[in-house]
Amino acid sequence: MSTTTVPNRVRILKEKFSRSLGLPFQKLLPESEIEKALNELKIKYRRRLFDPLVTLWTFLSQVLDVDKSCHNAVSRVIAYLAAEGVEILSTDVSAYCQARARLPEQLLEKIFGQAAQSLEEKVTTEYLWCGRSVKVIDGSNVSMPDTVENQKAYPQPTSQKPGCGFPIAKIGVLFSLATGAAIALAIDVINTHDIQLARNLYKFLQIKDVLLGDRAFCAYADLISITSLGCDAVFRKHQSRKTSMRKGKIVGNCDKFVIWYKPQKCPTGLSKEEFAALPLTLAVREIYYYIIIPGFRTQQVSLITTLLDTETYPTLEIVKLYDDRWDVEVNLKHLKSTLGMEVLRCKSPSMVRKELYVYLLAYNLLRALMWQAGITYSTPPLHLSLQGTRHHFDNFIPELLGNSEVKCHQIYQILLKIIVHKPIPQRPGRAEPRVRKRRPKAYPLMKQPRTQLRRQLQAV
């Protein structure tokens, strides 16, 4: 029987993780910053195998893996220890699951925010848009296990019968246009409007940021809120506002200044005091253009922006910027499809939120790898494949673990070089039909709770 103490096993695991998952985070989120976050939140913990740092690294490795089970995550920890001649007597996952539950949600939110900010600080002037940092915002949905707690916190759609659906949460995510990294997250129930989530994310904007979004976010009060923070916005005009070519001061081809007036009724989500504090008018800039690419549903686009300086922010640059808004759709697809965040695994609302933060942290880890590879080998980081980066990273981890520290860093440099070998083809204007070729299995949809269906089977 091994007599190795728990602190020694913790040291071994920390060393293993620092040579694999920790390599991209050495400058982005070093261990010292995690310890600092623990101290700031006054989090105290006992000396055990799954301390906060080991638990966090194990959780990260779990969401990055194709097999996201807790058994697979614990098996990885056992393998790391076995390679150093340390034996663990039990493969039970309860210790790890309890350790995940002990991780405070505030800690994961703080670590995720620090990692995102650290990556954002690496952005140089050449990656800015007209000298400004651009943030992109959008909303989406995630599903989770059908438990009583999850249903109470994030109810399933009312169109589904009880027991026949899954709890669904609405999320709003703020991304960096320069790095593709996730900056902030807001979570609420499914029937929450995107703009309500956005109002919880404005506080994460920095002075001089430009917020980019679709027409769901284009509201009078929100444009006021964004400008009051020292930021600007570029949104597609909401469909409820009609475009008139005769109104406004023309300042360029398909470009004009327009005065918007305060709504007569208080919008949903604003208090009477907030509505009363809104100014009576707002000067905005409206840019309208046409899309003639075959296959595109949208044919006419009207943009609303608070960027009123036509010399610093030319019409064409703003149009190109809005075209880049599609990147947020791709980023959400990476999170939900590539990494598997679309269907969460945790069975309580607090663990669901923790799982979301860890997914975003893992996503930023890959973005940090892509950024470092692109900067090192003079390739635009956003032109690299996130799925390809994930494949290379997973395949290099065994080699990183099995060598000395000096050799490990040599292999890591090769990893960065390999990542830039798989750029994403640039296909502007490509359109694909929205159809499915792969046929689903011919099973009917569940229209009754599982317990009732089981009783029907037993009665046959």
Side-chain angles (χ1 to χ4, degrees), residues 107-173:
L107 174 65
L108 296 177
E109 182 179 5
K110 189 177 185 65
I111 290 173
F112 157 65
Q114 288 177 344
Q117 185 59 35
S118 297
L119 185 54
E120 194 67 9
E121 290 172 356
K122 298 180 183 296
V123 178
T124 55
T125 307
E126 62 183 301
Y127 291 97
L128 300 178
W129 176 82
C130 295
R132 305 278 293 270
S133 176
V134 179
K135 304 297 190 301
V136 197
I137 193 170
D138 205 1
S140 189
N141 300 328
V142 291
S143 175
M144 62 195 73
D146 189 14
T147 64
V148 175
E149 289 180 294
N150 285 344
Q151 283 282 11
K152 185 176 180 180
Y154 304 108
Q156 68 184 44
T158 55
S159 59
Q160 295 176 325
K161 294 181 180 179
C164 298
F166 291 93
I168 297 179
K170 186 73 171 287
I171 61 171
V173 189

Side-chain angles (χ1 to χ4, degrees), residues 257-284:
F257 288 149
V258 181
I259 299 297
W260 276 13
Y261 295 92
K262 179 179 176 179
Q264 295 181 353
K265 295 183 179 180
C266 179
T268 304
L270 289 184
S271 65
K272 292 183 179 179
E273 293 76 14
E274 291 172 331
F275 179 67
L278 295 177
L280 296 178
T281 61
L282 172 67
V284 297

Side-chain angles (χ1 to χ4, degrees), residues 12 48 109 151 220 232 258 288 309 327 343 345 358 420 448 453:
I12 291 171
R48 59 182 99 199
E109 182 179 5
Q151 283 282 11
Y220 184 92
D232 285 291
V258 181
Y288 47 93
D309 189 338
D327 288 352
V343 179
R345 301 177 65 91
V358 174
V420 301
Q448 294 177 341
L453 293 175

Side-chain angles (χ1 to χ4, degrees), residues 210-278:
V210 176
L211 184 61
L212 185 62
D214 61 19
R215 56 190 176 189
F217 306 99
C218 188
Y220 184 92
D222 291 79
L223 290 172
I224 297 292
S225 298
I226 293 166
T227 54
S228 67
L229 295 172
C231 303
D232 285 291
V234 177
F235 297 144
R236 187 179 172 190
K237 188 163 78 168
H238 196 272
Q239 62 270 19
S240 63
R241 286 185 176 269
K242 304 301 180 183
T243 299
S244 175
M245 304 301 179
R246 294 178 294 177
K247 294 182 179 180
K249 178 183 177 182
I250 297 176
V251 293
N253 188 21
C254 301
D255 195 344
K256 61 182 180 179
F257 288 149
V258 181
I259 299 297
W260 276 13
Y261 295 92
K262 179 179 176 179
Q264 295 181 353
K265 295 183 179 180
C266 179
T268 304
L270 289 184
S271 65
K272 292 183 179 179
E273 293 76 14
E274 291 172 331
F275 179 67
L278 295 177

Side-chain angles (χ1 to χ4, degrees), residues 47-61:
R47 301 179 71 183
R48 59 182 99 199
L49 177 62
F50 286 107
D51 73 353
L53 191 63
V54 172
T55 305
L56 175 61
W57 288 126
T58 307
F59 207 165
L60 273 170
S61 68

